Every structure is written in structure tokens, then in C-alpha cells.
Amino acid sequence: MTEYRNRKKQLLQVNDSTSLATTSVPTRIAQPRMFRRQLVALSRLYSQYLGNGYPDRNSNPHDPPRILITGSLGQLGVEVARFLRGVYGQENVIMSDIIKPSNEVFNEGPFIFADILDFKGLQEIVVMHRIDWLIHFSALLSAIGEQNVPLAIRVNIEGVHNAIELAKQYKLKIFVPSTIGAFGPESPRNPTPNVAVQRPKTIYGVSKVHAELLGEYYFHRYGLDFRCLRFPGVISSDPPGGGTTDYAVAIFHDVLQTGRFECYLSPDTRLPMMYIKDCLRALWEFMVTPSAKLKRRVYNVTAMSFTPEELAAEIAKQVPEIKVTYRPDSRQLIADSWPQVFDDSAAREDWGWRHEYDITKLVTAMVDDVSRQKRLRHSVNEL
């Protein structure tokens, strides 16, 4: 592992603007070819440390995997695609969705229409594009799912059935994300271990528990290489989508725009969180870990836990004029049923997961990211 970490440090010094661990995912089509080769070599070194070699395509062990991302225009898909294109090349990562992408996303690399409910269409995509990895992000999130439960059942449950059966049929490596929302009020909250009672109170959470169990069943029954990470609240500079943990995103946008923020959670509501760069690196390191090294198929991952009050105090160190008020709404009930602290010791022990962003580094990065976005929008508006 020392060799891997030293090699990663060298890469970060060579090109800090595209680092795996401490910088933003590339925002352009792909990284320079030479640096991309170094990243692929790094992934080989990482998995060789863990054992059993580099998990490339079956047809040629020296080729990078061909990756399909479903629901790629959602919460994490665009960022994951940019990250993986930086590692494996623009042409090897195919984004897909049923909605129209922006011109920026469309021009960054391969994008196709894919309906997760159309199994024959998915088969055609896997065959024609020679897919090796399936990253399945297609899902209705909690707020939208509660407004349309029948559609959530179709997309989140029938859709994951199709994805897992497709992966079994074509021997794909499949990743399905899960969430702290897969736990409920009966679960231990501080800390929440990897294996615990899971009785969520949203259809989104129910569907994620279903996906976890189905994937584990297919692994034990058919040998499917199913992998799942339970993510905490993921914080990035993208505009908030209204989720329960999104206050930790909205606060930066509002404070840097107006100096004020009204929080919909109480000041002492503690929730586990993770910065986007740690999230992307966790996914990648998990995916390149040889299957034989994994003692389970579903892992908690996290980086920190904080309350709105603690986050506001940290932001005030850089934005002293900040004014935060609190008006809890219906999302408070959801937050009160979720973990306060995630126990991810299994991931740390089994495949070496280590976070790199604490609350101080998170705030510094987010202030920089959001400020840069605002300057860019201002420049565009002046044209």
C-alpha cells in the first residue's frame, strides 16, 4: 500500500488540478493522454496491492473496462462519468438517461438514450457497446418518490431487477448505490453499523434495502459481482435538489449570495456527510478492489458527521457576516430517523477506505467552488 500511496502523491504533484483524491473531477472531456495512462497504471497498482490483479475486460486484460452509467443525469452521474473518463478515457464511459442532456454534457463524451424499464433495449446497448461495468444510478429520490409511489416502485424496484438480471446475463460488474435512507427509526443511530435493523419509512429507502438484498442474493446464488456503497449526504457545488441533507449544499449558495440562510433542520440535527471528491474516490477504489478481497457486498462509507450549527460556525470562520436561522419542516422527521454517525470500519478494514476531507477542508473547498461558479455565471451574464 505504501507504493500505491507514494505513486498517488507523485501524480498529485505532477497535475494537482486533476488529482484523484484532493481536487475536482475533470470538467472537460478527458485528461491529457499521458496523465490518463498514469491513472490507469495507478489503478492497476492499487488492485495488485489488494491481490488478484487488475479488473479489466475479460477480452483483453490490458484494456480498460467499458462502462455504462444509467440515470447519469441525476445526482451523481455526471460527476462519476467525468471522474471515470479521467481514469479510463472518454470513449470508455457511456452516459445514458431518458431525458435530454445539456450541450455541455452531450459534448463531453458518449451519451445514449436508455430506459431502465426496457430490458431488450438494455441488452442491445450492452452487446453493441461491449459493456463490462454497469453503474446503476436510475432512481426516483425520496421526495419525488413519495409524490408518486407507483412510479417509484417501477423505476426503483423493477428497474433494479432489470439491471441486476442484465449484469447476471452478460457477466457484468455492477454497482448500485445505497443511502443512509436505507435505515429507519428502529436502527441504531450513533453509530450505525454495517449490519443493523433496516426499516426505512420512505419508498426510496425501501427500494434501496430491496436492491441491497437482491444484489447479495444474486452474488450468492449466481456469482454476480454486485457491489453497493451506502453513501451519507454528498456535498458538492451543484445546486441543491431539495433532499434532507441538501441544507449542507444550499447554505453555501445562499450565504455567498446574500449572507443569510434559513435551515429547514434544527441546529442540533447530526447527520453523516461526505465531500464529492471523497465520494467519487470511494466508488472507484471499491470498484477496482478484487472481488476476493471483499467480505461483504454492501458497505457503509462516510467521512464526517456534523450539525447545521457546527457547519455554520465553520463557515463563519471564512464568511464572518453569515446569519443563519432555523425553521424545521417535514424533512426534520426524516432526518430524525436517519443515522447520526455512520460506522464504516468494515470498508476501512476490508479495502482500505480512507476519507481525506474533514469539515474544515470541506468548507474551504465549497467556498472556493461555489464562489468560482458565481464568478463564472456573472461573466457569462455580462457577455
Side-chain angles (χ1 to χ4, degrees):
M1 193 59 162
T2 300
E3 184 183 1
Y4 163 73
R5 295 195 182 281
N6 289 341
R7 181 71 171 276
K8 186 167 75 170
K9 275 186 181 178
Q10 292 171 2
L11 287 178
L12 300 186
Q13 292 167 357
V14 169
N15 193 333
D16 187 64
S17 66
T18 51
S19 107
L20 287 178
T22 61
T23 66
S24 179
V25 178
T27 57
R28 296 300 173 198
I29 290 176
Q31 295 167 337
R33 182 175 298 176
M34 181 62 70
F35 190 63
R36 190 167 70 235
R37 287 175 180 168
Q38 292 174 314
L39 288 171
V40 173
L42 180 63
S43 71
R44 289 195 181 99
L45 183 62
Y46 181 80
S47 58
Q48 284 168 0
Y49 159 75
L50 291 168
N52 293 350
Y54 179 61
D56 280 352
R57 296 167 55 198
N58 294 331
S59 58
N60 187 335
H62 300 293
D63 287 341
R66 297 272 293 174
I67 304 168
L68 174 66
I69 305 176
T70 67
S72 64
L73 298 182
Q75 194 173 25
L76 291 176
V78 174
E79 298 282 8
V80 168
R82 286 172 177 162
F83 182 94
L84 292 175
R85 284 170 177 169
V87 177
Y88 297 117
Q90 171 197 3
E91 68 285 355
N92 289 315
V93 180
I94 300 170
M95 297 178 66
S96 71
D97 213 309
I98 60 171
I99 58 179
K100 184 179 179 181
S102 67
N103 289 335
E104 179 186 9
V105 168
F106 187 79
N107 291 329
E108 285 183 358
F111 186 95
I112 60 175
F113 175 89
D115 182 354
I116 195 62
L117 299 178
D118 177 11
F119 189 75
K120 287 195 69 175
L122 295 173
Q123 288 177 306
E124 182 177 354
I125 290 169
V126 168
V127 171
M128 296 303 295
H129 293 275
R130 297 159 49 240
I131 300 301
D132 305 296
W133 293 7
L134 176 59
I135 297 180
H136 179 64
F137 283 146
S138 295
L140 268 65
L141 300 182
S142 54
I144 299 175
E146 292 306 300
Q147 295 169 15
N148 194 338
V149 172
L151 181 60
I153 289 173
R154 290 198 68 205
V155 174
N156 294 12
I157 295 180
E158 183 181 338
V160 85
H161 284 192
N162 284 344
I164 288 177
E165 183 60 30
L166 187 75
K168 166 183 167 284
Q169 186 175 120
Y170 292 99
K171 295 180 171 56
L172 310 179
K173 180 183 293 187
I174 180 171
F175 176 85
V176 179
S178 190
T179 167
I180 56 174
F183 295 95
E186 291 89 355
S187 307
R189 300 185 65 211
N190 189 357
T192 303
N194 213 92
V195 178
V197 172
Q198 292 177 257
R199 300 189 67 82
K201 302 306 180 188
T202 65
I203 189 61
Y204 177 65
V206 169
S207 70
K208 286 303 183 181
V209 174
H210 176 83
E212 292 178 13
L213 295 176
L214 188 68
E216 289 181 337
Y217 171 78
Y218 267 67
F219 167 72
H220 292 293
R221 179 69 174 82
Y222 302 109
L224 175 68
D225 193 349
F226 170 84
R227 301 177 186 222
C228 177
L229 293 179
R230 295 191 191 110
F231 289 124
V234 177
I235 303 172
S236 75
S237 59
D238 290 337
T244 302
T245 60
D246 277 351
Y247 85 85
V249 176
I251 189 172
F252 290 96
H253 289 269
D254 288 7
V255 163
L256 293 174
Q257 183 73 34
T258 67
R260 298 175 177 272
F261 178 66
E262 182 174 274
C263 186
Y264 51 77
L265 298 181
S266 63
D268 59 349
T269 305
R270 185 171 302 280
L271 291 169
M273 299 284 185
M274 173 182 277
Y275 185 45
I276 182 66
K277 293 167 190 176
D278 274 340
C279 172
L280 298 173
R281 186 170 52 81
L283 191 158
W284 176 70
E285 291 186 355
F286 183 49
M287 288 297 284
V288 299
T289 299
S291 186
K293 289 290 182 179
L294 301 178
K295 297 180 181 178
R296 61 189 76 235
R297 293 286 119 183
V298 181
Y299 286 89
N300 295 348
V301 288
T302 192
M304 66 197 94
S305 288
F306 53 72
T307 67
E309 191 172 49
E310 290 169 349
L311 179 59
E314 192 66 37
I315 295 173
K317 295 177 183 177
Q318 299 194 37
V319 188
E321 64 274 18
I322 182 174
K323 295 186 183 301
V324 179
T325 57
Y326 299 91
R327 184 179 293 179
D329 64 16
S330 59
R331 284 168 285 193
Q332 184 68 51
L333 295 176
I334 297 175
D336 288 342
S337 72
W338 282 359
Q340 294 180 330
V341 176
F342 235 10
D343 177 2
D344 62 358
S345 57
R348 295 173 186 271
E349 292 170 5
D350 291 358
W351 48 277
W353 162 240
R354 298 289 183 273
H355 72 278
E356 298 194 3
Y357 282 81
D358 59 15
I359 189 171
T360 301
K361 291 181 68 175
L362 163 72
V363 168
T364 299
M366 283 293 291
V367 168
D368 289 345
D369 291 347
V370 175
S371 297
R372 190 181 307 114
Q373 278 189 358
K374 291 187 181 299
R375 289 194 300 269
L376 179 60
R377 282 197 296 270
H378 181 71
S379 299
V380 171
N381 290 337
E382 287 185 338
L383 294 177

